[in-house]
Structures are given as C-alpha cells and as structure tokens.
Amino acid sequence: MSSRSSAGIQRQPQRSLSGTGALHRQSAAHRTLSPQYQTSTVPRKSTESHVDLSMGIDALGGHFAVPRLADSRPKPRNPTDSKKATASVESPQGIGLPIDPQPTLKPRGRPRLQFDAECFRSPTRAQPLPRPAPKTQSTDTKSSHTRIPMPRRPREGTLHPARMQRPIPGIVQKKDARPKPYTLEISPAAPHYPPDGHTDFFPWTGNHLEDQFSDHVIRQGYFDKSQTSQNETGSARLSLFPSLKHKSGLQTLSSLFTNVLAQRRAHGQITTPPTFKPPPRVTLTDTKRETWLRDLANPCISLRRLSRTIPHGIRGKGLLEQCLSKKIPTERAVWLAKCVGANEIRAFKRKSITGAFAMGGEAKWIRDWTVLVELFVESVIASCGEKDWKLRIHYAIRLAAHLYTEQLLDRDHYMDWLSSSLENCVLAKLPVWLLIVQIYLKDLLPYRKYGRRVVTALCAHLETVNLILAPSNELLTGEQANECPDRDIFLPLIDRIALLLRGLIPSCPENCVLPKVWAKCGKVLKSCLQLDTSLIYVNPFLFGLINSRNQYLVPVTPFTGTSPRRRLFKLLDTTLSQPFPAGLVKECWSLTSDHPMLVHSVLEWSTSLHRPGITKVFVGARLLRNWTRVGIDVSDAILSFVASDMCSSCFSRPILYHLVSELARSGHFSMLKYLQWLIARGGIRDEADLDSNGPCANRLLAELSAHDLPEQTKRLRRTVLSRASVSADMESQVLAAEVANMSLLLPYTLASSASAPRSSGWQGAGYNSGRISVLSRAVKSDLGLWARNIVSQRVNISVCSAEEAWKAEDLASQKPAIPPDEFNTIRAMLEDCEDIPILADILQLVSDTDDVQVLASATDTLNRHLNAFAAIGAMTDLFDKLLARLQSRISDHRADVSVLLAPLTALACRIPGADGACLQLTQELARRNRKTAADAYSPVSDQVVESLQSSEAGFSDEVEKVLASGTLMDKSTLGRLFQTIMNRLRASWFKLAQQQRVCSQLLSRLRDFDPKHFDGLMSSWLHTFITLSSRPILTLVLEPLISLGCVTFRDVLVSTTSVLGHATAAGTSSRLRAIASETLVLLLGPSPGNGVMTPEESYRLDIERRKVLKDFSKESLRVLRKAIEILAPTTGPEREQLLFTCQGSPMHELLQELALTDPVAIGQELMLPLTKNEHSEVHNIITYLLDNLLELDVSFEVTISLTSAARIERALQLADDLTLPFCQLKLQMVFALEHDGAPPDVGGAQSCLEIFENVVNNAVDTDNQAWISLVPTLDDQIARHLCQRAQRAFLHLLPSAKVLDSLTSFPDDDISLASQQLVVVAATVCSLPATQISQMGHQMLEKLADFWSIVAQPEIHQRLPVVRGALSLMLEFIKIHAKVLDFDKSSSGLRSRILLSLCALFLECRKHGNTTENDPLLTHIFDVAILLVDDLPEDARLYCSRLLKGKTNDANITYLFGCSPAPTEWLQTYQRGKLAPYPLRKWEILSEPTPNIGENDTSLSLTLFRARKL
C-alpha cells in the first residue's frame, strides 16, 4: 500500500495487502518508460546543483518524496534509513558516466518523472528545498514544514526537464552496454511493514487509476479491490452446513479436498521431456575470449547470460591457469570445468565407440583430467616465494578441493597422488603438503591403501627433522628442540606433525600397524603419544596395543631378527677388531630386560676359547664394573657361573681366573664372600681339588692374589688352603724367585740413586718368556705390582735428580728414568703376564721421561695393544700425554723428533676421533722427511754417486755425506744410488749382519727424497729378489726393510702372490716351495732371530705384521691359499713346515678373527678355491683348519678320518651362539666339497638327511635355536626336505571338517608339536621353489575352508575354544609363507584367494563365533589380512573389491580393499519391473546451463521424480 499527500495532507492507503496484480508485473526499474517520460542524462560540472529525490519516512512509516541537491546528503534517521540513503547517493564519478559494477547490486532507483520538472525549470536560480525536520517524539506528521510538490498531469506542450538542458560540448557519453542481471527490485516508494515486508505496488507511470484523483479517492484513499460475483456476497454457511451436519459430512469434505489436491497434482505435474543440453562452445577471438573470462570473473553477470557463448579452446591445465590468473570465483570455475568436461565427454561419445570401450575412454579422459589438476597444483606450489604466492596457493588448493568434492576427479588416482606427494616432498614444501593432506584426511584414513602411507610418511618426515636437529638419532620433543639453532624453523613443523599423528593414532589405529617399518615408526609414534597426557589418560595402553599388533606380524625367524644373546655377542665381537666404543655399555644393557642372562652371557663370551686375544677379558671386566652401579652383584654372578657346567673344554680356565683376578683387584669381586661360599659347599678336602685341572670353583682360590686382602681374610684363605696340604708360603717363594731373576735384568731401574751405572747391551735378550707363562695368576698379578712399584720409585728418583741438576745448571748430569733396554724387558714381562692395566700404569709413568727412545717404545706398545688399552679406558689419556710430549719436543727444536714422530703418526691413524691430529702429524712427518721448501736448492752431485762405486772403506759414511750434500735428487741419480746400496746389501747377505742393517737404514733415508719413485724401484727389486735362486731366506732380508719402512708388508704379499700365481701353472719346483714356506713364516711368524734388528725394530715389525693381517686380509688369505696349494701335495720338510704353521696359534687367531669380522673373505679367498682343488691333501688341510676353529686341539689325523656326515653331525651338535660363525664355515666347506667332485661318503645324501632330521628334532626339543642360523649354509636339497617334512606334519596336526563330530578337544601335545614344526618351517621356507610354494598355498586354502566350515556350524560356541588354538597356529603358518610369496600373476592370485578366505573367516567368526570386537582372535585374523593386502598388486586388489562389492558393508573389509561404494550408487530407477542402478552424470549437473529457462531443463530429468510445478 502506498500513500501520497496533496498540499501537505497525507493520503489514505490506496492498495490492500491482498492485491494480486503487482506480483506478476515487472519492476519499475526494469520497465521502459514512454518517450515523453524518458530523461536524457546530461553531464554537468561538478559545481552545479543537481536535484534528486530522496525518500523520507514519516512517523507512520509511509514514504514520501523529498527533492534534494546532489551535493547534500540526508542524514539517516535509523539504520534502515541509512542504508536506503546510501543507496540513493549519486556516484562521485559524475552524472551520466558509466559506473563499474560492484560485487553486490544496489537498487537502481526509479526514473525521473514529469512532476519533477519544477525543480529543473531554472537551473541557475534553483534553490535547495528545506529539508524535513528531524523526527522526534513530539513531531506531528500533519505539521510538516515541507510542502511536497504534487505531480503535474501530463498534457501537451509540457517540456521535460531534460529537454531544457543543453549538453555540454566536448564530453562524449559512454553507454553502458554490459548486460544487467534481471532482478525484481522494490520501489523506494513502497511502504514497509515489518515483519511482513513491502506491500504490493504498481510502477508509477502517471496514467494508472491510482493517479486519477477524485473526491472519493482523496477522502477515502485508493484500494485495489478484486471483483467478486454476486453469489459470494453472503456467507456460505447456509449452503455448506446442512451437508456437514450428517455423519458423512467429514467424509464428504475429505473427498472434496482430496479431489482438489488430485486435480492440482494432475495439472501441475511436469510431463514435458527433458530439454537439458550442456552449454555449447563457440569459437571466439582472443579478445572476446578474454572479455568472456573477465565477465565470468564478475559475479554480477549471471551464468545464464554467459552460457550462450562458452569459448572454444579453454581446456585442461590451461583452463585452470586461466581461472587462477583471472581470479574467477571457485563456484564459477567449477561451473566452467563442468561445461567443458561435459562437452568433451559428449564429443567422445559421439564418435563410433560404444559399450565398454566408451566407458573405458571416459575413464581415461577423467584420469587425464585428474593428472592435469595434479600438475596444476604442483606448479602453483613450486611457485612458492613469488609474488602473491599465498593467494595463488590458497586458490589452487580451494579449486582442487571443490573439483574433488564435486566428484570430477579420479578418486583413486588423486588419493594416490596425495599420498605419494606427501611421501616424496622435501622439507621446504612439507608445510604446504601437510595443509593439503589435512583437507582429505577423512577420505584417506578409512582405507588401508592410503592410510598406512600417510602415517608412514608423517613418521619419516618427523624422524628426518629430528635427525637434522639431533644427529645422535634421538627423537626430539618440542621443548628439546628449543635448544637447537634451527628451532624457529623446525619447531612449528615438529609440533604440527606430532599433532597430526596424535590425532591419527586413536581415530584409526589400524593405519599404525606397520610391521615392515615398525622399528622406526614405533619410536616416533611413542614419542608423540608421550607428549599428549590427555590422550594417555583416555587410553594408557593405546601404544601397547598397537605395538603388540606389530610385533605379532613380525615372524620370529633367523632372517628377521636374532635373540638378544646373539646381538650381544655381535656387539662384543666388534671390540676385538676396533677400539671400545663409548656407548657400548649402555647399548648392551638395553638389549634385554633379562639382566641375569646378560651378565651370564658376558662371562661366557669373555672366557670362551672361540674368541681370540686377551682384549675380551678387559671388555668383560669393564662391562661388569659398570653394571654394578645399577645393582648387579658381580660376585654372585661369577660364583653362579663357576658352579655351572660352563667351565668345559670350550672355555678357558686361565682366562676365567684372569677375569676374576681383574675384578678382585678393583674390589668388584668379594674374596670374603667367595671363601664363605666355598666353605658352605664343603670346602677343599685334598690336594686334587686345587689341581690345575680340578674344579674351577676350587682352583680359583689358588689363582687369586692375596696382596690387598685384609689380614683376617688372608688367615681364612691360609686355613682353607692348608686342608689341601698347600702352603701359602709357596706363592711367596715363587714370587721371590721371579723377582730375583728379573732384578738381574734391571740393574739401573733397581738402583737407589739416579747416578747408578746403566746396563749395557740388549739385556732384553736374556729374558725368558717361557718361565713366566707357566706361573699362576696370583704370582703374575703380584709380579706386575712389583714392576709398577720399582718403575714408580725409579721415576720419582729421576725427577728429583733432574730438578737438582737444573738448579746446578748442569744439564749433562740428567739421566733418563729407565733405559730403553730395561723398559723393553719390563714390557715383555708384563705382556707375558697379560697384565695390561699395570702396563698402562707404567706407560703413564715413563711418558714423563726425556728419553725419546723410551717414548717411541711406549708409543709402539700402545699401538700394539690398542684395543686392550681402549677396553680399560686408558687409550685416550696415554695418547694425549704422548702427543703433548711430542709437541714440547717440537717447540724445543729437538733434533730427534722424528724418532717419536713416526710411531706416533702411525698410532694417531688408529685412534677414533683423532683424524685432525693424524693429518697434522702426517704433514709434519712428510715435511721433516723430504726437506722444507724454505731450504736452498741443492741437488746431489752425480759425480759423488759415481765415486761411491769404487770406494770400499767407510761406505756408510760416504753415503751419509752424499745424502747430506743436497736437498733434492733427480730420478736417475736416485736410481744409481739405489742400485749401489742394493749391491752392497747383496754383498752383505752372507758376511756381515751389521752391514745389512746399515744398508737398510740408508735405503730408509734415500726414500725420503722421492717416495713414489723409490717404491717403484723397490717393487722391481723385490720381484727380482724373490725369484733369485741363490739368496738368503726372505725373513733375513725383508724383515729389516719392513721394520725400517723401506718396503711395506702389502708390497711383499703382492709380489709373492704374483710369483706363486705365475709359477703354479708351470708346476711346483723346489724353489717355488721354498718361497711359499718362507712367505708363511714371514707373514705369520715367529721368524728366527738373526741379530740384524734391535728389539725396538722387531717389536715394530710385529706391529706391521698385525696391521697387514687386519687391513689387508684378502691379500694375506691369497698368500695362504697359494702356499697350501703348493705345499700340501708335497712330502718334504716344506709340508712339515706347513702343518706346523697351520697348527700354530698365529694361524688359529688369524682365522678366528677373520671368521668373526669378515667371514665372506675366508669363504671367497681361502675355503671355496681350495675345495675346488684336485688334490685331497689340500682338502685335508682346509678341513683341519676349519675343524680346529670349532673343535679346539683336534688332531690332524682324527680330522681327515671323519666322513662328511660325521662332520655335519658334529657341527650341528656344537652349534650355539658362540660357535655359530665357525659352524657356518664348516658346513659351507662340507657342502662345497661334495658339489665340487669330492669322493662321496658312504650313505651320501640320505645319511645327511637323516642326520639333519635327528639333530633338528633334538634342537627343537631342547629349545636350541642356534641351528636356525645354519640353514642358509645348508644344501638346497636338505633344506627343502626339512621344510616339506615339517609342513606336512603341521597340517596333519590341525583339525579338519571331515572329523567335525569327533572334534571335542585339541591336545596340548599336538599344540606343542605343531609349534615346533612351525619353527622348522620358518627356518627353511625360503629354500622352497616357487612351484612348491604354490602347492602349499592351495593346501592352506583347503585348511582355511575347513576352518570356515567349522566356524559356520550352529554349535560353534561349544567348539570355539577347541578351534581357537588351532586357528592361531594356522595364522602363524600363513604369516611365515606370506613373506616368500612372489609378486607375479600366479602368486598374486593365490595371495588374493587366501586373503578372501581370511575375510570370509573373519566375518563368520563375528557372526557365529560369539566373539567381541576386541577379541584377540579376530584381531589376529584381521592383522594377517593386513599383512597380505599390503603387498597385493593393484589389479588383484581391484579383483577382490569387485568380488566383495554388494556382498558386505563391513567397515573392516572396506578398509582392506578400499571398495567403498560411490556416493551416487544408491540412486536406482525402476525399469521393467525391477530396480536398476541409475548412473549419475556428474559433469552435467549444472546450474543455469542454458540462457532460456525451461520447464524440464535440468540434467537429471524431473519426470523421474514426478515433480510438480509450484
């Protein structure tokens, strides 16, 4: 209803709220005025006053027009008025100029009408009308100060105000030709009645009945009343009430209404056929295309308008890039993608392709479109850092998400791309991918295919970040990361990943079942759970449940893991070949929670004869000392070990006594507790109890020293010994005799003053090492303490003497603390006593001496026993002190620095963490050897070299003068001088040993001029020397050269191997056998003394020998192999020398160490080549060497008399965690001999099979799993036989559906026997060929079918306890075979069928098994299915999904295969009497597809739903 007032009088309402005409009329803003009412927009200057109409609101809510100037804005009276006033303000761009469309349309206003002309008749004299007074509570609408002009009636001759205005020349008007969306706008004059809204209105044209004024209209107002018939003027009560009074009145009324509704439905139902067509594409120019895209980006332009002309050529990645560059709203971009895609798909279908090919082509097109979307997102992410990169990435992510939500992408390919991108992204892009993946987590996690990859990728990235921040491989929490330098970069990333993982673990724990990577991911997940206390409070056992499920899926086989005991032995074996690691104690302790077993295993390893050297003693002692801090009682552990049966032939009693003696010396073994324990056991009864071969528990009393014991403990020890008629004074007498003998060799050390006479000569030669080795451990320990005391006293005396001499300024009177020869004697004695701790103390004492020879000897001692010194913790301190002594001598410019520099450089190269010191020492040594560049250029004269050839006397002095005459020497001069010295060396072979040593020293000095050229000359000479027919033995000539550094041990081995290798093909002569025998002696020692080398040089030679055996083991084994091949078939003294060398301890220790550190080298370089030799004597030698590793002190004759079956049986019987490496080598040798043509034994393969069966059965019964590690070394035939036999026995023990009636129990004996067979199968299943694995797979399918039949029975609740144990074993059986199934088509089909059988069994157990969701049996079945589905190929997974489609809706099955139904699969249509799926064309679900609105123009026909028009 609208009202107008004339001459200040308010008009009455003229329309009723029930008017019908206004709803179907067009709005005034969109109707065209007649020509006489049209106004032309004339531009004006900005200073002109322009009158406009503004709408005011009176007190009653009616609207009235108020003319106002354009530059004066009315003040809004309320929020509603403010919005309306703002909408009516003229644009500041000027009158008549086009205005850019805004994101939201504003009311366009009504056109100017004729009655406004009075305001524009005289523009120059126009005055602003008074504004209405502000509305207050006291204001009366009848007393308005504003006279509202009434419209003039249209008549001829009236000029329109616009016609009176002349356009200003020079201004060109632009017409806004852009299309405007059709909207029904409410006239500003329409009254507003909240909350009903606006009343009906008519456009104000001036000729409506409402505009015709009359007395009635002026007085009563205008009402739009509908015409009613005369019949309806009265009430209908009289007509209807009689009919409704009867009983059937309601029925009649209901029928009437029903008929009305039926007629309405019939007439309003849509029956027209669908007219939907996707918007067509047309070819446009580039300019029009750009214009169209800009219009698409403008939300003011309707899509129906734009659907007329969709440009052709916008497709694929270009479409997405255009949307990004033009900033097209996401909904409109999706609309454009649908239009283009629908046309592309229809164009493809219009081709002559139908049926399955058309469906496959459409799927391929969607797959290609998905790839383009993925490439688009990746390209936008790659532009990170450029201009507006945040907005671009945000738009790309949002657009891709909308396309995915609209189901316009290939779901599987897109999910796989997301998972792969998260897995492979770098840390710089990881935050962006985390943001993307979070959008799709709800779609990724419900499926195993993607969920496990997401969890694995997150764990891997978190571990990578932690490794960057903490290279020590410790996972960081957020607080720990605060201490890192890059915490500001990585801390938010760590928190975000941890937050994601904490949310994923409880929501979908199945994705955390990752058996293959659980070793890494488990630590990450555990650290994430520990940070969230609230999560732990909700489920404190959450990680434990996940961990148990992962551990269940890891079968305990020799190929997936080892026992803690075996891992401990591997860690301890590393200390025999390298220095003691810093974290070894902690690492060993954390192997297992069974600490008594750990201590017992350390004692076994430390005292075993199958570990070489004495380093193991000090390693074991250090571990036990450290473990006493955490509550381990070492005394009880040792007494328990001694009382057990471990002290057998495989354990060394002297080593055990040595270990206990070291612990007792440090106070970690209680002598008093031992005596009490010994007395409680019955004590010692006779002398036989204390015999060296008697019980270890009794003999230990005589082996432990009583030096530091309290007096009461000493008396108790004497009392116990006296019962065996053994006096404790005998130990004192033996010790006194040894001290007296040693005193003769140490006169200067035992002198009471520093000026005592020094011993002359090499007194070390008078030392007898054989006498020390037979002493008891108690005497050896006391002898070491005595040596330390005398050295300590001697050093203190020397220090006092040096201080007095310094005060007296008499430096010549200073004497060394210990002479080098006496130091060598003390060192030899302590090495025989194997007392490394005392030797370390003495090295610490003598390192303060000023004698460079003693310092060099101390350095060599540390180098030779480096691993032992590292085990007791003295390596670093001794090295640092010796290095400091060298630096002080260098700073003092001592001339003898090189004497200490050379051995210290060799030592530094072996010290862990001393790479910098090694480099500096090496550079310093090279600088001192080859002269510095600062020295003057002074070449050695050739004439001087020529004169040496005729000189006979004073050869050494003459050469020294030549070498000292210059700093440089050319190659020719060096060659002539080298040949001259070699000729003199050759002349001294059979004459003077001292001359030979002098020549070796000259060669060592000559090498400093040009080491590279000298080594070439030496290599040529070495090859010639070895092949000489008349020469001394190799050790006599080469040992001094090796010790002095003229030639390396490796060069000798290479030359010898070359000579032996070339001569082997032509035969074995006596000269060749001599070379082989001498090389063995040179390599393994001991060499016969020739008086050429000093004790220091002999000691350094032994260091070089140990180094070459360790660092060049392959070259050493080649020499050994060549020697055996040449010497074994002979019968002369060379063969006896070979047997002596093979039976010696150096050979035994060499093979022991290599078998533990590098068993592959022994197999490839020694064992396998010798087994292929045609001589049986060669086979006997290698058999004895390997048998001696396993069975100590076995004779050569006994070894060669055994058959192959006996050797196999013996190896399997002796197999345990300590002897495992040697058993593996022995079995490899036995099978290699059989395959390489060795004479077969009686019984052959059949006896070996029987032996293996018996041994395996015995090992399984005794729970000895050491034989499992021998399986890889077995012959394939034997391993296959054992596996098939165990498989048949296992399947026979399981219940079958054929004996269902008799199935009342599953005996415990059968369960135990089946478990034992599983161990055998797990150890040997990898030996089966693919065909036999396939056969076993079919047997597993049959057994699973039997279990399904049993579970499906009605009375399964009675038999389920019986089936549960058997089914658990069957799941273990499947786990074992799951790892060996190949991924080819045949095996994948078998895996698929097993997987489907497990799913059926899972569903049946849930249905009939009376089980719960958390039942362990159901969890195990599901986890085994997870193990199988992880390695299932994609085509096999899709095959399983199709088979299960529509048969089950179980969420667990859907999780396994990802066979969830599509979101539109529920849509079905009723055709031909049955329901059929109705495919929904997602690409054609478009809004406003065509410019013309149709009744049925939707992509999904409305007739399918019987839709009606409203």
Side-chain angles (χ1 to χ4, degrees), residues 771-842:
R771 187 175 64 252
I772 299 295
S773 59
V774 297
L775 299 177
S776 66
R777 173 50 50 185
V779 177
K780 291 180 180 179
S781 179
D782 293 340
L783 194 59
L785 294 175
W786 170 80
R788 184 179 62 182
N789 292 334
I790 62 173
V791 171
S792 177
Q793 294 175 2
R794 179 71 264 174
V795 169
N796 293 333
I797 294 175
S798 178
V799 169
C800 296
S801 176
E803 293 178 354
E804 294 175 357
W806 178 261
K807 294 177 182 179
E809 298 182 357
D810 186 9
L811 300 179
S813 62
Q814 296 187 33
K815 302 296 182 180
I818 299 178
D821 51 356
E822 295 189 9
F823 172 79
N824 295 336
T825 302
I826 296 175
R827 179 181 63 186
M829 181 197 69
L830 292 177
E831 288 176 345
D832 290 337
C833 293
E834 298 177 344
D835 204 338
I836 300 300
I838 297 297
L839 183 57
D841 293 342
I842 291 179

Side-chain angles (χ1 to χ4, degrees), residues 1145-1363:
S1145 59
M1147 174 72 78
H1148 181 73
E1149 291 183 1
L1150 170 64
L1151 295 180
Q1152 266 191 341
E1153 184 173 353
L1154 291 179
L1156 296 173
T1157 58
D1158 195 3
V1160 178
I1162 292 183
Q1164 294 179 353
E1165 301 294 340
L1166 181 66
M1167 183 185 66
L1168 294 180
L1170 290 180
T1171 55
K1172 297 178 181 179
N1173 195 283
E1174 58 184 4
H1175 296 285
S1176 60
E1177 293 296 331
V1178 175
H1179 299 166
N1180 293 336
I1181 293 293
I1182 186 60
T1183 300
Y1184 170 76
L1185 288 177
L1186 296 183
D1187 285 352
N1188 194 31
L1189 292 178
L1190 186 60
E1191 297 183 79
L1192 306 176
D1193 299 332
V1194 63
S1195 63
F1196 182 77
E1197 292 75 11
V1198 173
T1199 300
I1200 62 177
S1201 63
L1202 295 176
T1203 62
S1204 297
R1207 293 193 186 101
I1208 293 174
E1209 182 179 9
R1210 184 60 178 166
L1212 293 176
Q1213 289 176 353
L1214 296 176
D1216 57 17
D1217 293 332
L1218 283 171
T1219 61
L1220 185 61
F1222 313 113
C1223 292
Q1224 291 175 342
L1225 287 175
K1226 184 172 183 178
L1227 290 178
Q1228 288 179 6
M1229 180 202 65
V1230 173
F1231 293 122
L1233 288 174
E1234 292 184 355
H1235 285 297
D1236 293 329
D1241 297 326
V1242 180
Q1246 186 64 30
S1247 61
C1248 291
L1249 291 177
E1250 294 177 356
I1251 290 173
F1252 267 101
E1253 289 182 2
N1254 296 332
V1255 172
V1256 167
N1257 291 336
N1258 294 334
V1260 170
D1261 292 339
T1262 58
D1263 197 21
N1264 181 13
Q1265 297 185 359
W1267 67 273
I1268 298 178
S1269 298
L1270 300 176
V1271 172
T1273 63
L1274 298 180
D1275 183 69
D1276 292 339
Q1277 181 182 0
I1278 297 176
R1280 193 178 304 119
H1281 171 77
L1282 293 176
C1283 183
Q1284 293 175 350
R1285 172 176 169 270
Q1287 287 174 341
R1288 290 192 299 268
F1290 175 80
L1291 294 177
H1292 179 71
L1293 292 172
L1294 297 181
S1296 175
K1298 299 178 181 179
V1299 293
L1300 184 61
D1301 297 336
S1302 60
L1303 184 62
T1304 58
S1305 63
F1306 193 43
D1308 295 339
D1309 295 340
D1310 291 350
I1311 294 178
S1312 177
L1313 185 58
S1315 301
Q1316 294 176 1
Q1317 299 301 326
L1318 274 179
V1319 175
V1320 180
V1321 172
T1324 57
V1325 69
C1326 291
S1327 63
L1328 293 179
T1331 56
Q1332 295 184 1
I1333 293 177
S1334 179
Q1335 295 175 2
M1336 182 52 56
H1338 289 87
Q1339 296 180 16
M1340 287 190 290
L1341 283 173
E1342 295 177 359
K1343 189 58 65 175
L1344 287 175
D1346 290 344
F1347 278 108
W1348 182 86
S1349 301
I1350 295 173
V1351 174
Q1353 296 297 323
E1355 59 276 3
I1356 183 58
H1357 62 279
Q1358 300 177 358
R1359 297 194 176 104
L1360 186 61
V1362 180
V1363 180

Side-chain angles (χ1 to χ4, degrees), residues 278-280 292 296 302-311 319 323 328-342 399 403 406 408 1483 1485-1490:
W292 188 91
L296 181 63
S302 65
L303 294 177
R304 193 174 296 277
R305 167 71 176 82
L306 297 173
S307 63
R308 299 174 184 175
T309 56
I310 296 181
L319 183 148
C323 295
I328 298 176
T330 307
E331 294 79 6
R332 289 175 164 245
V334 174
W335 177 84
L336 177 60
K338 285 185 177 181
C339 294
V340 174
L399 179 57
L403 293 174
E406 294 287 342
L408 304 181
W1483 289 89
I1485 302 178
L1486 293 169
S1487 60
E1488 304 182 15
T1490 56

Side-chain angles (χ1 to χ4, degrees), residues 577-588:
S577 57
Q578 62 186 12
F580 193 93
L584 182 64
V585 177
K586 183 178 179 180
E587 187 175 1
C588 293

Side-chain angles (χ1 to χ4, degrees), residues 1039-1052:
E1039 282 185 351
L1041 296 177
I1042 295 173
S1043 177
L1044 293 173
C1046 301
V1047 64
T1048 62
F1049 230 126
R1050 182 178 181 274
D1051 293 339
V1052 175

Side-chain angles (χ1 to χ4, degrees), residues 813-1121:
S813 62
Q814 296 187 33
K815 302 296 182 180
I818 299 178
D821 51 356
E822 295 189 9
F823 172 79
N824 295 336
T825 302
I826 296 175
R827 179 181 63 186
M829 181 197 69
L830 292 177
E831 288 176 345
D832 290 337
C833 293
E834 298 177 344
D835 204 338
I836 300 300
I838 297 297
L839 183 57
D841 293 342
I842 291 179
L843 293 183
Q844 189 77 16
L845 293 172
V846 301
S847 60
D848 294 328
T849 185
D850 194 58
D851 194 336
V852 68
Q853 292 293 341
V854 175
L855 292 176
S857 298
T859 304
D860 290 335
T861 306
L862 180 59
N863 193 357
R864 181 178 180 181
H865 304 285
L866 184 66
N867 294 337
F869 283 111
I872 64 176
M875 176 189 68
T876 305
D877 294 339
L878 290 175
F879 174 73
D880 293 341
K881 196 163 188 177
L882 292 172
L883 186 61
R885 295 295 299 163
L886 174 66
Q887 293 173 350
S888 65
R889 301 186 74 86
I890 293 176
S891 61
D892 295 340
H893 303 286
R894 299 290 185 91
D896 54 358
V897 172
S898 299
V899 178
L900 178 59
L901 181 59
L904 196 58
T905 303
L907 174 63
C909 296
R910 297 185 59 191
I911 300 293
D915 297 336
C918 178
L919 180 60
Q920 294 178 2
L921 293 175
T922 303
Q923 294 174 351
E924 179 68 19
L925 180 63
R927 185 184 67 83
R928 290 182 175 274
N929 287 340
R930 66 170 179 263
K931 313 297 182 182
T932 61
D935 294 337
Y937 179 79
S938 178
V940 177
S941 174
D942 295 344
Q943 299 177 356
V944 178
V945 177
E946 294 293 339
S947 64
L948 291 176
Q949 298 179 1
S950 58
S951 177
E952 295 293 340
F955 175 78
S956 175
D957 297 336
E958 294 294 333
V959 174
E960 287 288 350
K961 292 180 181 180
V962 172
L963 296 178
S965 64
T967 59
L968 297 176
M969 186 181 299
D970 56 13
K971 293 183 180 180
S972 59
T973 305
L974 189 146
R976 286 191 293 271
L977 187 58
F978 174 83
Q979 190 62 38
T980 301
I981 298 176
M982 282 302 177
N983 293 336
R984 188 58 57 93
L985 176 64
R986 184 171 184 176
S988 65
W989 285 347
F990 303 101
K991 295 180 180 179
L992 298 175
Q994 186 63 26
Q995 186 67 27
Q996 180 181 346
R997 184 172 181 274
V998 170
C999 292
S1000 299
Q1001 291 176 340
L1002 294 176
L1003 289 173
S1004 176
R1005 292 200 54 193
L1006 182 63
R1007 185 180 183 275
D1008 297 337
F1009 285 91
D1010 192 349
K1012 185 176 181 180
H1013 184 59
F1014 181 88
D1015 291 342
L1017 295 175
M1018 181 60 72
S1019 178
S1020 300
W1021 176 86
L1022 187 62
H1023 188 275
T1024 304
F1025 167 72
I1026 293 175
T1027 56
L1028 288 177
S1029 57
S1030 176
R1031 59 166 176 78
I1033 59 175
L1034 296 179
T1035 57
L1036 182 64
V1037 179
L1038 295 183
E1039 282 185 351
L1041 296 177
I1042 295 173
S1043 177
L1044 293 173
C1046 301
V1047 64
T1048 62
F1049 230 126
R1050 182 178 181 274
D1051 293 339
V1052 175
L1053 295 181
V1054 172
S1055 299
T1056 305
T1057 305
S1058 177
V1059 172
L1060 296 178
H1062 289 304
T1064 302
T1068 56
S1069 61
S1070 59
R1071 187 69 238 162
L1072 199 62
R1073 294 193 294 271
I1075 293 174
S1077 178
E1078 293 170 5
T1079 305
L1080 280 182
V1081 176
L1082 178 65
L1083 179 63
L1084 299 176
S1087 59
N1090 49 17
V1092 176
M1093 296 186 297
T1094 63
E1096 291 82 4
E1097 294 170 352
S1098 299
Y1099 199 84
R1100 196 166 293 119
L1101 174 66
D1102 186 68
I1103 295 175
E1104 294 295 328
R1105 181 181 288 119
R1106 292 171 182 266
K1107 179 181 178 181
V1108 74
L1109 292 176
K1110 176 185 176 182
D1111 297 341
F1112 304 99
S1113 56
K1114 292 184 178 181
E1115 290 81 355
S1116 303
L1117 290 174
R1118 291 193 192 105
V1119 172
L1120 179 59
R1121 184 189 71 207

Side-chain angles (χ1 to χ4, degrees), residues 1358-1399:
Q1358 300 177 358
R1359 297 194 176 104
L1360 186 61
V1362 180
V1363 180
R1364 187 179 292 271
L1367 186 55
S1368 299
L1369 293 175
M1370 186 63 197
L1371 294 176
E1372 292 283 350
F1373 191 74
I1374 296 174
K1375 283 194 313 181
I1376 293 171
H1377 289 80
K1379 194 168 184 178
V1380 297
L1381 288 174
D1382 297 329
F1383 299 149
D1384 54 347
K1385 293 184 178 180
S1386 59
S1387 181
S1388 63
L1390 177 61
R1391 183 187 290 263
S1392 302
R1393 291 192 293 272
I1394 295 176
L1395 188 57
L1396 291 173
S1397 300
L1398 287 175
C1399 292

